[in-house]
Amino acid sequence: MAKHKITAIPSIRRLPSYLHIIRQSREEGQEYISGTVIAQELHLEPIQVRKDLAITGIVGKPKKGYPVVALMAAIEHFLGWDEIQQAVLIGAGNLGTALAGYQEFHYHGLHICAAFDRDTSKIGTSIHGVPVFSLETLPIQIRNLKATIAILTVPSSNAQEITDILVGAGISAIWNFTNVKLKVPETVVVQKEDLTSGYAMLCVMMNASRHE
Ligand code: NAD
């Protein structure tokens, strides 16, 4: 199977912030929310918000806006967040532990069901309630737990070796927090995260505002 070409990446990246605002408005008891209100909250143009929401297939009502419950459902369905995904975490260190404890994933259908580490002092313990297993049991556990996603938080030097094991065990997706550009077959999708690129943006914006 060839990898899907994902279009509208900036729109997809904005949808979770929209969802956050829409969820708040539902908690406040509102039935409808307008694209303009969402845009004001996020300092965006209303036309941008309406275009982004259109990719989910939802249609707003003139003067009223979008029905809140249906809008949340449409975004969650588009993102695939209305289905529970079982995930395994490889590397129960600082970052892995922080991710295991991030409660927000629960709202997005991401369930971290097991962690794996090669450090024997961690095996048999748990991080935020997630049990830590020996790396040797990884392939069998992936199959037993029906895990589709692996969250990779091992040192970069071990990233490819672990990836090869994950691929062999039939994982479908890797959320890669290491610095390595992983080699995977076409059937496996990889999303690489890098906090330093966000920090680079912050620094450049700080410098630009100093020189204004
Ligand atoms: P850490 O040393 O605290 O944790 C690494 C864990 O991996 C340890 O528990 C270690 O025992 C385990 N480990 C090592 N080799 C292993 C192997 N072959 N199999 C299974 N487990 C193994 O490190 P950290 O600070 O949590 O960072 C982890 C990774 O995340 C690093 O690659 C780091 O560069 C990366 N990181 C990325 C970002 C980002 O923005 N993407 C931010 C912080 C850290």
mmCIF file of all heavy atoms in Angstrom, residues 90-96 116-119 122 135 153-156 158 161-162 177-179 193-196, ligand 1:
data_model
loop_
_atom_site.group_PDB
_atom_site.id
_atom_site.type_symbol
_atom_site.label_atom_id
_atom_site.label_comp_id
_atom_site.label_asym_id
_atom_site.label_seq_id
_atom_site.Cartn_x
_atom_site.Cartn_y
_atom_site.Cartn_z
ATOM 1 N N ILE A 90 8.045 3.098 23.982
ATOM 2 C CA ILE A 90 9.348 2.429 24.092
ATOM 3 C C ILE A 90 10.347 3.444 24.647
ATOM 4 O O ILE A 90 10.666 4.437 23.989
ATOM 5 C CB ILE A 90 9.866 1.910 22.725
ATOM 6 C CG1 ILE A 90 8.731 1.403 21.840
ATOM 7 C CG2 ILE A 90 10.954 0.860 22.948
ATOM 8 C CD1 ILE A 90 7.977 0.222 22.336
ATOM 9 N N GLY A 91 10.816 3.189 25.855
ATOM 10 C CA GLY A 91 11.731 4.104 26.539
ATOM 11 C C GLY A 91 11.002 4.804 27.667
ATOM 12 O O GLY A 91 10.373 5.844 27.468
ATOM 13 N N ALA A 92 11.063 4.195 28.875
ATOM 14 C CA ALA A 92 10.324 4.753 30.027
ATOM 15 C C ALA A 92 11.223 5.706 30.819
ATOM 16 O O ALA A 92 11.378 5.577 32.034
ATOM 17 C CB ALA A 92 9.812 3.601 30.903
ATOM 18 N N GLY A 93 11.824 6.650 30.109
ATOM 19 C CA GLY A 93 12.697 7.624 30.761
ATOM 20 C C GLY A 93 11.946 8.917 31.052
ATOM 21 O O GLY A 93 10.738 8.898 31.317
ATOM 22 N N ASN A 94 12.657 10.036 30.993
ATOM 23 C CA ASN A 94 12.038 11.327 31.340
ATOM 24 C C ASN A 94 10.875 11.677 30.421
ATOM 25 O O ASN A 94 9.767 11.941 30.885
ATOM 26 C CB ASN A 94 13.096 12.443 31.261
ATOM 27 C CG ASN A 94 14.122 12.312 32.352
ATOM 28 O OD1 ASN A 94 13.778 12.201 33.523
ATOM 29 N ND2 ASN A 94 15.392 12.292 31.977
ATOM 30 N N LEU A 95 11.144 11.660 29.123
ATOM 31 C CA LEU A 95 10.088 12.057 28.183
ATOM 32 C C LEU A 95 8.967 11.009 28.155
ATOM 33 O O LEU A 95 7.783 11.355 28.166
ATOM 34 C CB LEU A 95 10.675 12.255 26.778
ATOM 35 C CG LEU A 95 9.682 12.700 25.716
ATOM 36 C CD1 LEU A 95 9.018 14.019 26.085
ATOM 37 C CD2 LEU A 95 10.345 12.808 24.353
ATOM 38 N N GLY A 96 9.352 9.731 28.120
ATOM 39 C CA GLY A 96 8.352 8.660 28.093
ATOM 40 C C GLY A 96 7.417 8.751 29.289
ATOM 41 O O GLY A 96 6.200 8.594 29.159
ATOM 42 N N PHE A 116 7.921 -0.121 27.478
ATOM 43 C CA PHE A 116 9.007 -1.098 27.387
ATOM 44 C C PHE A 116 10.328 -0.373 27.600
ATOM 45 O O PHE A 116 10.514 0.756 27.139
ATOM 46 C CB PHE A 116 9.000 -1.781 26.006
ATOM 47 C CG PHE A 116 7.759 -2.590 25.799
ATOM 48 C CD1 PHE A 116 6.589 -1.987 25.340
ATOM 49 C CD2 PHE A 116 7.735 -3.935 26.115
ATOM 50 C CE1 PHE A 116 5.429 -2.706 25.182
ATOM 51 C CE2 PHE A 116 6.572 -4.677 25.957
ATOM 52 C CZ PHE A 116 5.415 -4.072 25.494
ATOM 53 N N ASP A 117 11.222 -1.055 28.315
ATOM 54 C CA ASP A 117 12.524 -0.445 28.575
ATOM 55 C C ASP A 117 13.537 -1.572 28.735
ATOM 56 O O ASP A 117 13.170 -2.705 29.057
ATOM 57 C CB ASP A 117 12.466 0.408 29.846
ATOM 58 C CG ASP A 117 13.505 1.506 29.851
ATOM 59 O OD1 ASP A 117 14.711 1.185 29.999
ATOM 60 O OD2 ASP A 117 13.120 2.689 29.679
ATOM 61 N N ARG A 118 14.791 -1.236 28.500
ATOM 62 C CA ARG A 118 15.802 -2.298 28.693
ATOM 63 C C ARG A 118 16.461 -2.215 30.077
ATOM 64 O O ARG A 118 17.237 -3.079 30.441
ATOM 65 C CB ARG A 118 16.840 -2.237 27.576
ATOM 66 C CG ARG A 118 17.754 -1.048 27.639
ATOM 67 C CD ARG A 118 18.865 -1.218 26.645
ATOM 68 N NE ARG A 118 19.762 -0.082 26.732
ATOM 69 C CZ ARG A 118 20.716 0.163 25.874
ATOM 70 N NH1 ARG A 118 20.913 -0.626 24.844
ATOM 71 N NH2 ARG A 118 21.502 1.202 26.029
ATOM 72 N N ASP A 119 16.135 -1.147 30.822
ATOM 73 C CA ASP A 119 16.697 -0.958 32.160
ATOM 74 C C ASP A 119 15.972 -1.902 33.136
ATOM 75 O O ASP A 119 14.770 -1.740 33.386
ATOM 76 C CB ASP A 119 16.521 0.515 32.559
ATOM 77 C CG ASP A 119 17.092 0.819 33.932
ATOM 78 O OD1 ASP A 119 17.327 -0.125 34.706
ATOM 79 O OD2 ASP A 119 17.279 2.014 34.225
ATOM 80 N N LYS A 122 13.662 -0.718 35.890
ATOM 81 C CA LYS A 122 12.342 -0.155 35.548
ATOM 82 C C LYS A 122 11.323 -1.244 35.216
ATOM 83 O O LYS A 122 10.117 -1.038 35.349
ATOM 84 C CB LYS A 122 12.477 0.811 34.364
ATOM 85 C CG LYS A 122 13.274 2.055 34.728
ATOM 86 C CD LYS A 122 13.378 3.033 33.582
ATOM 87 C CE LYS A 122 14.200 4.236 34.033
ATOM 88 N NZ LYS A 122 14.497 5.166 32.962
ATOM 89 N N LEU A 135 11.997 -5.473 27.081
ATOM 90 C CA LEU A 135 11.998 -5.298 25.627
ATOM 91 C C LEU A 135 11.807 -6.633 24.887
ATOM 92 O O LEU A 135 11.238 -6.666 23.799
ATOM 93 C CB LEU A 135 13.336 -4.669 25.239
ATOM 94 C CG LEU A 135 13.412 -3.931 23.925
ATOM 95 C CD1 LEU A 135 12.431 -2.787 23.888
ATOM 96 C CD2 LEU A 135 14.819 -3.436 23.714
ATOM 97 N N THR A 153 10.606 6.841 22.520
ATOM 98 C CA THR A 153 11.311 7.803 23.376
ATOM 99 C C THR A 153 12.586 7.167 23.957
ATOM 100 O O THR A 153 12.890 7.326 25.126
ATOM 101 C CB THR A 153 10.389 8.309 24.515
ATOM 102 O OG1 THR A 153 9.821 7.186 25.194
ATOM 103 C CG2 THR A 153 9.291 9.197 24.003
ATOM 104 N N VAL A 154 13.286 6.443 23.093
ATOM 105 C CA VAL A 154 14.587 5.879 23.486
ATOM 106 C C VAL A 154 15.690 6.847 23.031
ATOM 107 O O VAL A 154 15.425 7.744 22.226
ATOM 108 C CB VAL A 154 14.818 4.485 22.837
ATOM 109 C CG1 VAL A 154 13.845 3.459 23.392
ATOM 110 C CG2 VAL A 154 14.734 4.549 21.319
ATOM 111 N N PRO A 155 16.917 6.672 23.509
ATOM 112 C CA PRO A 155 18.001 7.499 22.974
ATOM 113 C C PRO A 155 18.107 7.310 21.456
ATOM 114 O O PRO A 155 17.851 6.208 20.943
ATOM 115 C CB PRO A 155 19.249 6.957 23.696
ATOM 116 C CG PRO A 155 18.721 6.310 24.933
ATOM 117 C CD PRO A 155 17.374 5.782 24.578
ATOM 118 N N SER A 156 18.498 8.369 20.768
ATOM 119 C CA SER A 156 18.543 8.328 19.298
ATOM 120 C C SER A 156 19.400 7.177 18.781
ATOM 121 O O SER A 156 19.088 6.572 17.749
ATOM 122 C CB SER A 156 19.078 9.661 18.760
ATOM 123 O OG SER A 156 18.112 10.653 19.000
ATOM 124 N N ASN A 158 19.582 4.260 19.666
ATOM 125 C CA ASN A 158 18.874 2.969 19.642
ATOM 126 C C ASN A 158 17.618 2.993 18.775
ATOM 127 O O ASN A 158 16.906 1.981 18.674
ATOM 128 C CB ASN A 158 18.458 2.561 21.066
ATOM 129 C CG ASN A 158 19.650 2.443 21.985
ATOM 130 O OD1 ASN A 158 19.913 3.339 22.774
ATOM 131 N ND2 ASN A 158 20.394 1.369 21.851
ATOM 132 N N GLU A 161 17.275 0.506 15.599
ATOM 133 C CA GLU A 161 17.235 -0.913 16.042
ATOM 134 C C GLU A 161 15.850 -1.259 16.618
ATOM 135 O O GLU A 161 15.243 -2.286 16.291
ATOM 136 C CB GLU A 161 18.371 -1.068 17.075
ATOM 137 C CG GLU A 161 18.263 -2.109 18.108
ATOM 138 C CD GLU A 161 19.024 -1.728 19.407
ATOM 139 O OE1 GLU A 161 19.807 -0.751 19.454
ATOM 140 O OE2 GLU A 161 18.790 -2.443 20.379
ATOM 141 N N ILE A 162 15.291 -0.357 17.422
ATOM 142 C CA ILE A 162 13.953 -0.582 18.004
ATOM 143 C C ILE A 162 12.888 -0.519 16.908
ATOM 144 O O ILE A 162 11.943 -1.311 16.890
ATOM 145 C CB ILE A 162 13.641 0.475 19.094
ATOM 146 C CG1 ILE A 162 14.656 0.401 20.237
ATOM 147 C CG2 ILE A 162 12.214 0.329 19.626
ATOM 148 C CD1 ILE A 162 14.611 -0.872 21.038
ATOM 149 N N PHE A 177 9.976 10.516 18.710
ATOM 150 C CA PHE A 177 10.488 11.686 19.427
ATOM 151 C C PHE A 177 12.010 11.751 19.393
ATOM 152 O O PHE A 177 12.596 12.644 19.990
ATOM 153 C CB PHE A 177 9.989 11.677 20.881
ATOM 154 C CG PHE A 177 8.539 12.059 21.005
ATOM 155 C CD1 PHE A 177 7.542 11.107 20.833
ATOM 156 C CD2 PHE A 177 8.166 13.372 21.263
ATOM 157 C CE1 PHE A 177 6.202 11.466 20.923
ATOM 158 C CE2 PHE A 177 6.827 13.739 21.361
ATOM 159 C CZ PHE A 177 5.833 12.773 21.194
ATOM 160 N N THR A 178 12.672 10.810 18.719
ATOM 161 C CA THR A 178 14.135 10.839 18.658
ATOM 162 C C THR A 178 14.572 11.758 17.507
ATOM 163 O O THR A 178 13.753 12.209 16.712
ATOM 164 C CB THR A 178 14.721 9.429 18.430
ATOM 165 O OG1 THR A 178 14.546 9.054 17.062
ATOM 166 C CG2 THR A 178 14.066 8.387 19.334
ATOM 167 N N ASN A 179 15.885 11.979 17.428
ATOM 168 C CA ASN A 179 16.397 12.862 16.365
ATOM 169 C C ASN A 179 16.620 12.140 15.042
ATOM 170 O O ASN A 179 17.046 12.765 14.074
ATOM 171 C CB ASN A 179 17.753 13.445 16.804
ATOM 172 C CG ASN A 179 17.596 14.337 17.999
ATOM 173 O OD1 ASN A 179 16.600 15.046 18.099
ATOM 174 N ND2 ASN A 179 18.557 14.310 18.906
ATOM 175 N N GLU A 193 8.527 14.262 15.958
ATOM 176 C CA GLU A 193 8.273 15.466 16.761
ATOM 177 C C GLU A 193 9.593 16.065 17.211
ATOM 178 O O GLU A 193 10.525 15.338 17.524
ATOM 179 C CB GLU A 193 7.476 15.125 18.027
ATOM 180 C CG GLU A 193 6.054 14.727 17.817
ATOM 181 C CD GLU A 193 5.226 15.737 17.046
ATOM 182 O OE1 GLU A 193 5.519 16.946 17.062
ATOM 183 O OE2 GLU A 193 4.264 15.293 16.402
ATOM 184 N N ASP A 194 9.633 17.394 17.259
ATOM 185 C CA ASP A 194 10.865 18.035 17.700
ATOM 186 C C ASP A 194 10.548 19.350 18.408
ATOM 187 O O ASP A 194 10.187 20.335 17.780
ATOM 188 C CB ASP A 194 11.768 18.289 16.485
ATOM 189 C CG ASP A 194 13.129 18.801 16.913
ATOM 190 O OD1 ASP A 194 13.384 18.900 18.127
ATOM 191 O OD2 ASP A 194 13.938 19.117 16.024
ATOM 192 N N LEU A 195 10.677 19.329 19.740
ATOM 193 C CA LEU A 195 10.390 20.547 20.510
ATOM 194 C C LEU A 195 11.377 21.660 20.159
ATOM 195 O O LEU A 195 11.048 22.834 20.273
ATOM 196 C CB LEU A 195 10.496 20.266 22.016
ATOM 197 C CG LEU A 195 9.418 19.392 22.639
ATOM 198 C CD1 LEU A 195 9.672 19.219 24.122
ATOM 199 C CD2 LEU A 195 8.055 20.004 22.415
ATOM 200 N N THR A 196 12.587 21.280 19.724
ATOM 201 C CA THR A 196 13.578 22.332 19.459
ATOM 202 C C THR A 196 13.184 23.183 18.248
ATOM 203 O O THR A 196 13.583 24.339 18.165
ATOM 204 C CB THR A 196 14.994 21.755 19.245
ATOM 205 O OG1 THR A 196 14.901 20.697 18.317
ATOM 206 C CG2 THR A 196 15.610 21.281 20.534
HETATM 207 P P1 NAD B 1 16.076 9.203 29.168
HETATM 208 O O1 NAD B 1 17.502 8.783 29.187
HETATM 209 O O2 NAD B 1 15.469 9.807 30.376
HETATM 210 O O3 NAD B 1 15.152 7.944 28.750
HETATM 211 C C1 NAD B 1 15.502 6.995 27.774
HETATM 212 C C2 NAD B 1 14.937 5.657 28.226
HETATM 213 O O4 NAD B 1 15.145 4.712 27.172
HETATM 214 C C3 NAD B 1 15.637 5.081 29.465
HETATM 215 O O5 NAD B 1 14.671 4.611 30.390
HETATM 216 C C4 NAD B 1 16.483 3.929 28.904
HETATM 217 O O6 NAD B 1 16.654 2.889 29.852
HETATM 218 C C5 NAD B 1 15.626 3.504 27.729
HETATM 219 N N1 NAD B 1 16.361 2.778 26.698
HETATM 220 C C6 NAD B 1 17.613 2.999 26.244
HETATM 221 N N2 NAD B 1 17.898 2.162 25.243
HETATM 222 C C7 NAD B 1 16.803 1.384 25.073
HETATM 223 C C8 NAD B 1 16.499 0.332 24.213
HETATM 224 N N3 NAD B 1 17.360 -0.109 23.284
HETATM 225 N N4 NAD B 1 15.284 -0.233 24.311
HETATM 226 C C9 NAD B 1 14.381 0.178 25.250
HETATM 227 N N5 NAD B 1 14.631 1.178 26.113
HETATM 228 C C10 NAD B 1 15.819 1.769 26.007
HETATM 229 O O7 NAD B 1 15.948 10.184 27.923
HETATM 230 P P2 NAD B 1 14.794 11.257 27.618
HETATM 231 O O8 NAD B 1 15.215 12.579 28.094
HETATM 232 O O9 NAD B 1 13.487 10.714 28.073
HETATM 233 O O10 NAD B 1 14.840 11.299 26.039
HETATM 234 C C11 NAD B 1 14.406 10.174 25.301
HETATM 235 C C12 NAD B 1 14.457 10.461 23.809
HETATM 236 O O11 NAD B 1 13.572 11.523 23.517
HETATM 237 C C13 NAD B 1 15.828 10.891 23.296
HETATM 238 O O12 NAD B 1 16.002 10.367 22.005
HETATM 239 C C14 NAD B 1 15.714 12.416 23.250
HETATM 240 O O13 NAD B 1 16.567 12.994 22.276
HETATM 241 C C15 NAD B 1 14.282 12.543 22.834
HETATM 242 N N6 NAD B 1 13.633 13.818 23.199
HETATM 243 C C16 NAD B 1 12.938 14.417 22.211
HETATM 244 C C17 NAD B 1 12.249 15.584 22.454
HETATM 245 C C18 NAD B 1 11.466 16.163 21.327
HETATM 246 O O14 NAD B 1 11.108 17.314 21.337
HETATM 247 N N7 NAD B 1 11.187 15.400 20.304
HETATM 248 C C19 NAD B 1 12.281 16.174 23.717
HETATM 249 C C20 NAD B 1 12.995 15.525 24.722
HETATM 250 C C21 NAD B 1 13.672 14.339 24.445
#
